[in-house]
Amino acid sequence: MQILDQFYRKRKQLAILVDPDKLTREEIEKTAKNAQLAEADYFFVGGSLLINDSLHQSIQIIKDNCSLPVVIFPGNNYQLSSNADAILFLSLISGRNPDMLIGMHVIAAPYIRLSGLESIATGYMLIDSGKPTSVSYMSNSFPIPSDKKDIAACTAMAGEMLGLKMIYMDAGSGAENSIPKEMIQFVKDSIDIPLVVGGGIKTPELLHEKYKAGADIAVIGTHFENNMTSMQHFTSVKSSFIT
Ligand code: 1GP
């Protein structure tokens, strides 16, 4: 998988999150074209609910308008499409809801196998961002408090020891407070697998802070829903980390 190759080459990466419920066809088209021009690395596609059943179509629009890999970031086990290149096979390791740790995976596994999608085993950790998020409500799980970096680090460590291939720390879409740099750094120092960080990254300065603290891949969704043309300002942050 390209994500792992880039990680071993020590390249910072940026994923653009598209929630098919929040963007029109035209907006997805524009986002795809902008992402290609700005040299973003991936599209993550998914949402907590997906009311409009447009996952398949949204992925196709992205594919028709750019050549970036599309990775499904599923809110539940119905969010599958063979139009994508890969899927984050998420285990919600910050929570204690067995369905989110293994139950839904058992249901989704044969479909993923049949679809031919590459599955990326990912330890998903929700971090408290100051207010309840869709994910914590929908998953019936508590996020890790943002000042408990030791809990976050031990959770990530356990995920790595269980064989997961990436850790994704998420403050939730549209989070007021992004994940504190101290926590990112502490987790990064505790694991050897790629670290994905998302939620509430609204400025290039915040993105720089997350990369500097140890994020290998940053995920941005909400900001680009309203500021599509600003992508270049964000992707140019990656180049300051090329060694
Ligand atoms: C949410 O990490 C992603 O799961 C992206 O968050 O929408 O706040 O950028 P934003």
Side-chain angles (χ1 to χ4, degrees):
M1 174 69 192
Q2 196 177 325
I3 291 182
L4 296 177
D5 293 345
Q6 295 290 80
F7 167 71
Y8 291 120
R9 293 173 61 210
K10 298 196 185 323
R11 292 292 166 90
K12 299 290 186 188
Q13 303 171 67
L14 182 67
I16 313 294
L17 175 66
V18 164
D19 180 337
D21 276 345
K22 294 190 183 161
L23 298 178
T24 63
R25 161 182 268 279
E26 290 70 32
E27 287 168 337
I28 296 174
E29 255 180 51
K30 263 193 203 157
T31 306
K33 286 177 182 156
N34 282 335
Q36 180 93 54
L37 279 175
E39 297 182 13
D41 297 280
Y42 312 97
F43 272 97
F44 283 3
V45 182
S48 292
L49 281 173
L50 297 196
I51 296 163
N52 295 321
D53 191 26
S54 53
L55 180 76
H56 198 68
Q57 191 193 17
S58 302
I59 294 172
Q60 193 58 51
I61 298 168
I62 296 171
K63 287 277 174 198
D64 289 344
N65 287 280
C66 78
S67 62
L68 301 184
V70 176
V71 180
I72 300 174
F73 173 38
N76 57 51
N77 54 350
Y78 298 107
Q79 292 177 22
L80 291 175
S81 166
S82 50
N83 271 0
D85 299 289
I87 182 165
L88 299 181
F89 203 46
L90 301 170
S91 188
L92 183 57
I93 58 175
S94 58
R96 298 295 178 267
N97 177 345
D99 273 343
M100 297 291 166
L101 284 163
I102 182 65
M104 288 197 167
H105 311 67
V106 174
I107 297 166
Y111 293 96
I112 295 177
R113 178 64 53 85
L114 282 173
S115 72
L117 285 169
E118 178 180 355
S119 160
I120 308 170
T122 304
Y124 187 60
M125 292 169 41
L126 271 182
I127 310 298
D128 191 21
S129 62
K131 61 172 192 187
T133 60
S134 303
V135 183
S136 64
Y137 181 82
M138 294 302 294
S139 66
N140 196 16
S141 77
F142 292 118
I144 296 175
S146 61
D147 60 345
K148 301 292 183 198
K149 58 182 187 175
D150 50 348
I151 296 179
C154 295
T155 306
M157 253 190 256
E160 181 174 20
M161 289 174 187
L162 281 166
L164 299 173
K165 298 286 183 282
M166 296 201 305
I167 296 294
Y168 185 161
M169 297 169 78
D170 199 349
S173 198
E176 263 168 47
N177 304 310
S178 58
I179 300 175
K181 56 179 187 290
E182 295 77 14
M183 180 181 268
I184 297 172
Q185 202 158 8
F186 206 63
V187 169
K188 176 69 182 171
D189 290 345
S190 309
I191 56 172
D192 291 319
I193 51 178
L195 179 60
V196 185
V197 172
I201 302 174
K202 299 168 217 152
T203 63
E205 291 73 25
L206 269 177
L207 178 62
H208 188 274
E209 178 192 284
K210 308 307 169 203
Y211 281 148
K212 192 163 179 235
D216 301 298
I217 302 151
V219 186
I220 301 180
T222 307
H223 177 79
F224 294 139
E225 284 164 15
N226 308 311
N227 306 275
M228 269 181 222
T229 52
S230 67
M231 262 179 217
Q232 183 78 56
H233 301 297
F234 286 79
T235 49
S236 60
V237 176
K238 290 190 294 173
S239 42
S240 58
F241 287 89
I242 294 175
T243 49

